[in-house]
Amino acid sequence: MANHGLTRYIFKLLTKHEIISIGTKYYPTTPLEIEYVEMFNFTQTMLMELEKADITTDSIFYNLLRDVGEENIPENHHFYELKAAENKIEEFALVSNIIMGSDRYLYVELSEPSSVISDFSKIIIEEKGEIVEQSSTEIVSKLLSKNDGIRVAIKMIGMGLDNGINVRAAVGMTGAAAIERSINLSKEVGEFSGVGFTRLGGEYALVFDSNFLKSTATTPELQNYLFIDIINSTKFIDDYGRDKLVELMTGVKNFMETECNGKIEGYREGGDDLIARFPSKDLAIRAGLDTAWYILNNGAKIRAGIGRSRREAGERAQLADEVQISNPLSLVIFDLANGLYAYYIPSEFFRTVINLLLNKRAKLIGIFILVFLIVYFMTILGYWEYSFIIVILAAIYALAS
């Protein structure tokens, strides 16, 4: 459902922003994935481009410094682009990250057996990671995110070089992918210490050929906040009562705390907004989407923003007021690379319009041709003033059918 050019073009004209996809073309394999993919496609959730990301080698490295922490990347590094990223956003990759989460496998290999391997395993456990396999020269582990994997790998490389040991590492979606990436790293840059990883479809590596001045790494102070505000809550209270608003927001709060590992930091019972903090951006986006779907199904709309601070999340939520089709849209806004994107959840009316455009296109074209011919002949016969009745009847028939 993600490649309907005509429908995306129409909504681009209506919203004045590029529509990357309607629904998703992600192929699900597990019950959870099936559930989310069906929700994306049933609600015809759109991925909208608010500010286009400029994906270059320089921007990839800048984002790496931001996400891993500049203080955690020693100055004596070499940054390699092994495979360039495409300068576009792949919606199915984003959906995959939202559904499957941000946890990644880290593979670490020593150039020779060393007792430092025991220190490495302790570091992984301290970083809330999980040891999957370990030998005298190798560790396959699972960490909370790709950024955590890169940061911990750099710390291990520094410790290895201090002990005269080369350390090669790589981060991947699976243990096998991480091992394969480590092998490719050795082939591409030689037997140097380094860590390989992917970014937006490209493959990159940080390589070190001398000891660090500092071989310790700290967790960067990066947070992921979600700000949610119900649009026109006064009208919602008038229509459904304040108890219904409290019920909705309480359901949202409980869901975020129990299902998304969120910590509620700004909510007053009876209020129409809240702020929650999450351990990763994918969990924040997932919570925002689930909330938008849930709230819309109960007769309301939300504006939501995701950022690294409470202020940034709130400012992004406010951007939703600038994107309208006669009325504010239900949007979940977040950054991606160095661009700004949003998930737009259409109302029931617009979902009906999209369904007509996607599934009833032949009928609509047929009705248009028939109406045109009838109006044309009525004009020739001198009854042009009755043409508008034909048009109205045709529109009613199209919508009713």
Side-chain angles (χ1 to χ4, degrees), residues 291-360:
T291 300
W293 290 331
Y294 171 65
I295 294 289
L296 194 63
N297 192 48
N298 283 273
K301 294 188 294 185
I302 67 163
R303 53 179 186 171
I306 294 160
R308 291 172 181 79
S309 67
R310 300 169 186 83
R311 180 184 179 87
E312 187 176 62
E315 287 174 343
R316 286 179 178 166
Q318 287 184 349
L319 290 175
D321 295 338
E322 302 173 11
V323 185
Q324 300 189 13
I325 305 178
S326 72
N327 289 301
L329 307 180
S330 186
L331 296 179
V332 180
I333 301 175
F334 52 93
D335 70 319
L336 201 57
N338 56 357
L340 205 58
Y341 293 81
Y343 274 118
Y344 160 41
I345 296 85
S347 64
E348 188 173 353
F349 171 77
F350 280 116
R351 289 206 298 268
T352 302
V353 173
I354 295 169
N355 185 57
L356 285 171
L357 292 171
L358 295 182
N359 303 315
K360 307 289 184 180

Side-chain angles (χ1 to χ4, degrees), residues 16-37:
K16 299 179 177 60
H17 291 283
E18 194 74 38
I19 304 297
I20 296 175
S21 65
I22 300 176
T24 180
K25 60 181 181 180
Y26 179 79
Y27 186 79
T29 57
T30 68
L32 179 63
E33 291 176 1
I34 292 171
E35 177 185 342
Y36 270 88
V37 168

Side-chain angles (χ1 to χ4, degrees), residues 61-302:
F61 183 65
Y62 171 80
N63 291 336
L64 179 69
L65 291 176
R66 178 195 67 190
D67 296 339
V68 176
E70 186 171 358
E71 70 279 7
N72 294 320
I73 300 180
E75 292 184 1
N76 63 327
H77 68 266
H78 303 279
F79 182 64
Y80 287 89
E81 180 182 78
L82 307 180
K83 175 188 172 185
E86 294 185 25
N87 193 15
K88 65 177 182 179
I89 298 298
E90 294 286 3
E91 66 82 20
F92 58 86
L94 178 58
V95 171
S96 171
N97 204 53
I98 293 169
I99 298 173
M100 297 180 66
S102 60
D103 56 315
R104 293 293 184 269
Y105 286 85
L106 170 64
Y107 171 70
V108 181
E109 180 187 14
L110 278 61
S111 57
E112 58 186 78
S114 170
S115 60
V116 77
I117 197 81
S118 299
D119 297 325
F120 286 3
S121 61
K122 291 177 184 177
I123 291 171
I124 291 169
I125 299 301
E126 289 171 358
E127 293 285 347
K128 300 179 181 178
E130 172 190 346
I131 304 295
V132 179
E133 293 182 35
Q134 180 173 338
S135 69
S136 61
T137 58
E138 297 175 297
I139 297 178
V140 177
S141 62
K142 191 174 183 181
L143 287 161
L144 296 177
S145 71
K146 180 187 298 183
N147 294 329
D148 284 330
I150 296 170
R151 177 175 55 80
V152 171
I154 293 172
K155 184 174 183 177
M156 293 177 178
I157 290 167
M159 291 180 65
L161 289 173
D162 284 345
N163 287 274
I165 304 290
N166 277 341
V167 178
R168 285 180 298 278
V171 182
M173 286 285 290
T174 65
I179 293 170
E180 185 177 8
R181 188 157 295 128
S182 176
I183 294 170
N184 291 337
L185 174 63
S186 297
K187 290 180 179 178
E188 293 288 339
V189 302
E191 298 297 321
F192 295 103
S193 292
V195 53
F197 52 91
T198 60
R199 286 268 169 167
L200 298 172
E203 293 203 15
Y204 302 88
L206 283 169
V207 175
F208 307 91
D209 54 13
S210 61
N211 289 27
F212 304 167
L213 295 176
K214 177 182 175 184
S215 62
T216 59
T218 59
T219 305
E221 290 297 321
L222 296 178
Q223 305 293 343
N224 301 277
Y225 288 95
L226 170 64
F227 178 92
I228 286 177
D229 178 34
I230 292 188
I231 297 171
N232 201 353
S233 59
T234 302
K235 183 179 184 302
F236 181 83
I237 292 171
D238 290 341
D239 292 342
Y240 301 99
R242 182 168 292 277
D243 288 345
K244 181 64 174 178
L245 178 66
V246 173
E247 178 187 335
L248 283 181
M249 295 301 290
T250 301
V252 169
K253 174 179 174 292
N254 292 339
F255 170 77
M256 289 183 181
E257 290 177 328
T258 59
E259 300 293 330
C260 298
N261 297 320
K263 182 179 179 182
I264 306 300
E265 295 194 351
Y267 173 65
R268 174 180 57 82
E269 186 170 337
D272 62 356
D273 58 19
L274 63 77
I275 298 174
R277 179 163 52 89
F278 296 88
S280 63
K281 185 198 291 186
D282 58 278
L283 284 174
I285 297 175
R286 178 176 167 184
L289 274 170
D290 279 314
T291 300
W293 290 331
Y294 171 65
I295 294 289
L296 194 63
N297 192 48
N298 283 273
K301 294 188 294 185
I302 67 163

